[in-house]
Amino acid sequence: MNILGTEYKIKIRSDKEDSLLCNCDGYCDTTVKEITIREIDKEFDSVKDLKVFQDNVIRHEMIHAFFHESGLRDYELDETLVEFLAIQLPKLAKISEQITFCNNNRPDLKGDEVNEN
Ligand SMILES: [Zn+2]
């Protein structure tokens, strides 16, 4: 996964393989550019949609990496801000797509800068 020009590996591991996953669902190690998420244990975990759960964890860890690669170290460690953005990111992406769609269908805006006021 490319985050602001830096490649991050995404690993899925069990908490038996990686003790850091005993107390969390995932973590981002910016020193080695890796995002590690905990493998779901179908017997013990309560989530039904495993793919959605893992995507949410990856998105959260990706935001940590995004702040790190932006040089925003205070924000990188702010779990409330990181989780807020991780939850809102899909909604922001949809809104952004709507803006692009609107502009592509407005010949009067083609080639011109959009006035945001
Ligand atoms: Zn976090």
Side-chain angles (χ1 to χ4, degrees), residues 12-17 21-22 24-25 37-51 53-54 57:
I12 299 174
R13 303 180 77 191
S14 72
D15 51 9
K16 292 177 186 73
E17 295 171 306
L21 294 167
C22 289
C24 63
D25 295 317
I37 62 171
R38 187 173 56 82
E39 185 177 61
I40 301 293
D41 188 331
K42 290 178 183 174
E43 281 187 41
F44 296 106
D45 286 313
S46 60
V47 292
K48 288 184 179 172
D49 194 331
L50 304 179
K51 175 97 174 72
F53 179 77
Q54 286 189 327
V57 175

Side-chain angles (χ1 to χ4, degrees), residues 5-24:
T6 301
E7 278 301 318
Y8 274 71
K9 287 183 187 168
I10 297 178
K11 293 182 171 181
I12 299 174
R13 303 180 77 191
S14 72
D15 51 9
K16 292 177 186 73
E17 295 171 306
D18 186 336
S19 62
L20 290 175
L21 294 167
C22 289
N23 297 318
C24 63

Side-chain angles (χ1 to χ4, degrees), residues 10 26 33 64 73 87 89 103:
I10 297 178
K33 312 300 182 195
H64 279 296
R73 304 294 151 86
I87 290 169
L89 190 62
N103 289 343

Side-chain angles (χ1 to χ4, degrees), residues 52-101:
V52 168
F53 179 77
Q54 286 189 327
D55 285 353
N56 289 342
V57 175
I58 290 171
R59 195 175 298 113
H60 177 100
E61 301 308 328
M62 184 188 77
I63 299 290
H64 279 296
F66 193 88
F67 278 132
H68 179 83
E69 297 304 330
S70 299
L72 299 169
R73 304 294 151 86
D74 289 344
Y75 295 155
E76 175 187 344
L77 301 174
D78 185 334
E79 288 296 334
T80 303
L81 177 61
V82 168
E83 185 60 11
F84 167 78
L85 287 171
I87 290 169
Q88 300 304 332
L89 190 62
K91 299 170 198 168
L92 291 170
K94 278 186 185 168
I95 292 169
S96 180
E97 286 171 15
Q98 289 172 359
I99 293 168
T100 303
F101 177 77

